[in-house]
Amino acid sequence: MKDFIALTKPGLVIMLVLTTCVGFYLGSDGPVDWLLLLHTLAGTALAAGGTLALNQFLERDRDALMRRTRSRPLPAGKLRPAQALGFGVAITAAGLLYLALVVNLLSCSVTAAITATYLFLYTPLKHRTTLSTVFGAVPGALPPVTGWAAARNDLGLEAGVLFAILFLWQMPHALALAWLFREDYARAGFQLLPAVDPEGRFTSVQILINCLALTAFSLVPTILGIAGVLYFYVALAAGLGLLAFAIHLTVTRTLASARTLFFASLVFLLVQFSVMAYDKV
């Protein structure tokens, strides 16, 4: 059972569920329907866990080549590939069906898009092009859209803003993580930018550009009336703080500065979405 749970990457599922929760709360027009929220999070968690299990099934041979992932259930031989495939398909389908029948078809469709883009776009492109990180940011940015769709049963400009903020955040976060394990990724044949840019010049510039864009776009929720003035100033301060770490990484290009930026990006997202929910208009 522990190995099946490990296939779902629980830490990542929790993060996806939290961003879905924020999207639902922001999309709720009036009092929050807590029962509907619980149904939404249950379906999302099942579909997300299944999708991540299927990702491990597809990448099991490459995972065996990386120090960071060789102890996962499949490369370590704790589970058979057929078991992982069946488990992943079953809980992904269960999650999507649950959302369709209990929540609404729109939230199911957005979640299905997450599964499709993650497994059939991002996963195969990781060992073919450095642009894979851009494509991978799409499924990573869609969970709050699932929450919004579940709450309102429609998608508007506001849902697009949530998507854009999380999309821009994904880039520095993912590139910093890839920088930390670039030797591992190179060993497994992944064409992530830090793996083919050993000195980090292009990677650091890409991170800096995305942090600039993220800092600017983070202010849009107040401009559109999704969040209040408090959020505006907190988002500006958080964005400038993250930008400072990005500048430091650009200048130093060290593992320590990449690690600092990675953890700073997590703090940024927590602050950003928490204050946005607190200061909802």
Side-chain angles (χ1 to χ4, degrees):
M1 181 60 69
K2 183 176 70 174
D3 293 324
F4 280 110
I5 293 174
L7 279 179
T8 67
K9 298 184 181 177
L12 188 51
V13 169
I14 290 172
M15 185 175 177
L16 296 174
V17 165
L18 288 175
T19 56
T20 302
C21 183
V22 172
F24 187 99
Y25 178 77
L26 292 172
S28 297
D29 189 11
V32 175
D33 186 335
W34 296 105
L35 182 58
L36 183 61
L37 173 59
L38 290 176
H39 287 311
T40 302
L41 299 184
T44 299
L46 284 171
T51 299
L52 292 167
L54 291 173
N55 170 257
Q56 290 200 51
F57 166 77
L58 293 172
E59 294 186 340
R60 62 191 184 279
D61 293 334
R62 294 183 186 273
D63 281 349
L65 301 175
M66 299 172 61
R67 294 190 183 94
R68 186 173 70 93
T69 56
R70 63 178 52 162
S71 61
R72 286 176 176 175
L74 287 174
K78 298 175 183 177
L79 292 174
R80 297 190 305 274
Q83 291 177 300
L85 177 61
F87 174 73
V89 169
I91 65 172
T92 300
L96 294 175
L97 187 62
Y98 191 89
L99 288 172
L101 296 179
V102 181
V103 183
N104 56 46
L105 288 175
L106 185 57
S107 63
C108 172
S109 299
V110 175
T111 306
I114 295 174
T115 297
T117 53
Y118 192 82
L119 293 178
F120 305 118
L121 189 62
Y122 172 57
T123 297
L125 288 178
K126 284 169 69 176
H127 55 86
R128 296 179 183 177
T129 174
T130 57
L131 293 175
S132 60
T133 306
V134 178
F135 293 104
V138 173
L142 281 173
V145 180
T146 296
W148 186 281
R152 290 207 178 188
N153 201 21
D154 68 21
L155 296 177
L157 179 61
E158 298 91 341
V161 170
L162 295 178
F163 170 84
I165 290 174
L166 204 50
F167 178 89
L168 291 171
W169 173 85
Q170 293 272 335
M171 301 301 294
H173 176 77
L175 289 174
L177 179 63
W179 191 320
L180 294 175
F181 299 103
R182 61 177 184 253
E183 292 180 1
D184 246 4
Y185 283 122
R187 186 181 299 110
F190 287 114
Q191 296 297 303
L192 300 178
L193 183 57
V196 299
D197 177 32
E199 295 186 3
R201 287 193 177 93
F202 296 108
T203 305
S204 60
V205 170
Q206 185 67 45
I207 288 173
L208 181 60
I209 291 172
N210 277 278
C211 285
L212 279 168
L214 176 60
T215 300
F217 204 85
S218 294
L219 308 179
V220 171
T222 297
I223 297 172
L224 293 182
I226 302 173
V229 176
L230 172 63
Y231 166 80
F232 181 93
Y233 288 110
V234 172
L236 179 60
L240 292 175
L242 187 64
L243 186 58
F245 287 115
I247 293 172
H248 183 257
L249 175 61
T250 304
V251 173
T252 61
R253 298 203 303 272
T254 64
L255 283 176
S257 54
R259 185 177 295 107
T260 301
L261 176 68
F262 174 77
F263 286 111
S265 69
L266 292 173
V267 174
F268 171 89
L269 187 66
L270 176 62
V271 171
Q272 185 93 342
F273 273 43
S274 297
V275 177
M276 190 187 303
Y278 175 79
D279 202 29
K280 171 187 174 183
V281 174

